C-alpha cells in the first residue's frame, strides 16, 4: 500500500473545527484494533505515540502496519485516558483517527486539551524536580469542595502532587484534597487522575503523609 508521510493535511482539517484547540504532543499510549486478536480472541495491544490531538481527531505514530481505513481503534493515552474512533487516513509510520464520543464528553476532552496545552511545561518541571514514591499501604480518602468523600488508592506521590485511582474521575481543574493536602486535578489516566498540590509541600509533610498511609 502506498502511504503518505506522517503529516497533517487537508483531510485532518476536514474532521476538525476551526474553534478547536489543536496541540502537537508526543504522548505515549497503546491501542487495539478490532481485527487484531490473539489466540484467545482478545484484542492485541500495540504501542503508539499521539503526535497531534484535537477533540475531534488524533494522529498516532506507530511501527504497526495498518491494513486500511475504516478500522475501529481504541487507544489509551497518557493524560487523556481512553479515546476511540475509526481510522480515516493511513500515513507512513502512523494513522489518523476520527474520535467518536458524545458531545458532552467531547466538550470535556476539549477542556482537557486546552488545560494540557497551558500547563504541560509545568507538569514536565514537576516530573524532573521531585522524586515520586509508591506507598506500601496506598489507601486514602478524597475530599471534594462540597464536602463529599470518595475512597481512593494512591498510585504514587511526591512533594508537588499525587496520582490516585478512584471510582470517580473529576474534571480537570476540579479542586480536591487527598487526605489533608489540597490541590487540583491536572490530568487523567486509565481509571484515575493526578492532583497537583496548590503549593509545593515541605518534604517532611509528604513524609508524614506517607507514614500515615503506611
Amino acid at each position: 500500500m502506498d502511504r503518505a508521510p506522517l503529516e497533517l493535511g487537508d483531510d485532518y482539517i476536514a474532521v476538525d473545527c476551526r474553534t478547536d484547540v489543536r496541540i502537537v504532543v508526543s504522548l505515549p499510549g497503546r491501542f487495539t484494533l478490532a481485527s487484531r486478536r490473539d489466540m484467545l480472541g482478545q484484542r492485541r495491544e500495540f504501542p503508539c505515540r499521539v503526535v497531534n490531538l484535537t477533540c475531534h481527531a488524533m494522529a498516532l505514530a506507530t511501527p504497526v502496519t495498518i491494513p486500511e481505513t475504516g478500522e475501529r481503534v481504541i487507544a489509551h493515552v497518557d493524560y487523556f485516558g481512553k479515546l476511540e474512533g475509526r481510522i480515516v487516513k493511513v500515513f507512513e509510520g502512523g494513522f489518523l483517527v476520527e474520535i467518536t464520543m458524545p458531545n458532552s464528553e467531547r466538550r470535556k476532552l476539549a477542556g482537557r486539551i486546552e488545560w494540557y496545552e497551558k500547563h504541560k511545561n509545568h507538569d514536565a518541571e514537576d516530573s524532573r524536580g521531585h522524586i515520586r514514591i509508591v506507598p506500601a499501604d496506598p489507601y486514602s480518602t478524597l475530599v471534594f469542595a462540597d464536602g463529599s468523600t470518595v475512597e481512593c488508592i494512591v498510585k504514587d506521590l511526591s512533594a508537588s502532587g499525587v496520582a490516585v485511582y478512584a471510582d470517580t474521575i473529576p474534571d480537570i481543574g476540579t479542586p480536591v484534597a487527598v487526605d489533608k493536602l489540597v490541590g487540583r486535578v491536572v490530568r487523567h489516566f486509565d481509571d484515575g487522575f493526578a492532583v497537583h498540590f496548590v503549593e509545593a509541600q515541605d518534604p517532611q509533610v509528604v513524609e508524614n503523609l506517607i507514614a500515615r498511609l503506611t
Side-chain angles (χ1 to χ4, degrees):
M1 178 188 298
D2 292 334
R3 302 188 182 191
L6 182 54
E7 59 184 21
L8 301 182
D10 293 340
D11 286 354
Y12 184 81
I13 297 172
V15 297
D16 194 9
C17 291
R18 294 297 181 178
T19 56
D20 275 354
V21 174
R22 180 186 301 179
I23 56 175
V24 178
V25 293
S26 182
L27 292 173
R30 62 191 190 280
F31 70 94
T32 62
L33 301 170
S35 64
R36 305 284 183 90
R37 298 178 182 269
D38 61 23
M39 296 182 63
L40 298 177
Q42 302 296 317
R43 288 193 178 206
R44 294 177 59 194
E45 288 191 344
F46 303 100
C48 67
R49 296 194 78 85
V50 174
V51 296
N52 207 300
L53 177 66
T54 79
C55 66
H56 285 276
M58 59 181 171
L60 276 64
T62 178
V64 178
T65 300
I66 305 301
E68 60 185 13
T69 60
E71 180 89 22
R72 298 296 301 181
V73 178
I74 299 176
H76 296 270
V77 183
D78 277 14
Y79 289 88
F80 295 98
K82 180 180 176 181
L83 299 172
E84 56 185 296
R86 64 182 182 88
I87 298 174
V88 294
K89 191 169 185 177
V90 177
F91 303 100
E92 180 66 34
F95 56 94
L96 179 68
V97 177
E98 185 175 8
I99 297 171
T100 303
M101 60 174 48
N103 287 336
S104 59
E105 293 300 316
R106 198 179 302 280
R107 286 192 292 269
K108 292 180 181 179
L109 176 59
R112 295 201 298 270
I113 292 171
E114 184 174 9
W115 192 97
Y116 178 83
E117 177 65 10
K118 291 179 180 178
H119 295 84
K120 61 184 178 182
N121 291 332
H122 184 276
D123 191 63
E125 291 171 1
D126 169 56
S127 64
R128 289 193 301 267
H130 299 99
I131 297 174
R132 305 200 70 81
I133 301 170
V134 178
D137 184 8
Y139 296 98
S140 191
T141 302
L142 302 171
V143 183
F144 295 95
D146 62 0
S148 62
T149 60
V150 174
E151 297 302 309
C152 70
I153 295 177
V154 176
K155 177 185 176 184
D156 56 47
L157 52 83
S158 74
S160 60
V162 59
V164 302
Y165 296 111
D167 290 337
T168 299
I169 308 295
D171 291 339
I172 288 179
T174 300
V176 62
V178 183
D179 192 53
K180 296 181 180 180
L181 297 178
V182 178
R184 289 185 180 275
V185 178
V186 295
R187 64 182 175 91
H188 294 163
F189 52 86
D190 290 346
D191 300 320
F193 57 95
V195 175
H196 192 278
F197 299 142
V198 173
E199 296 181 354
Q201 302 296 313
D202 183 280
Q204 185 61 50
V205 174
V206 178
E207 288 180 11
N208 290 340
L209 175 59
I210 295 170
R212 180 180 182 276
L213 290 172
T214 58

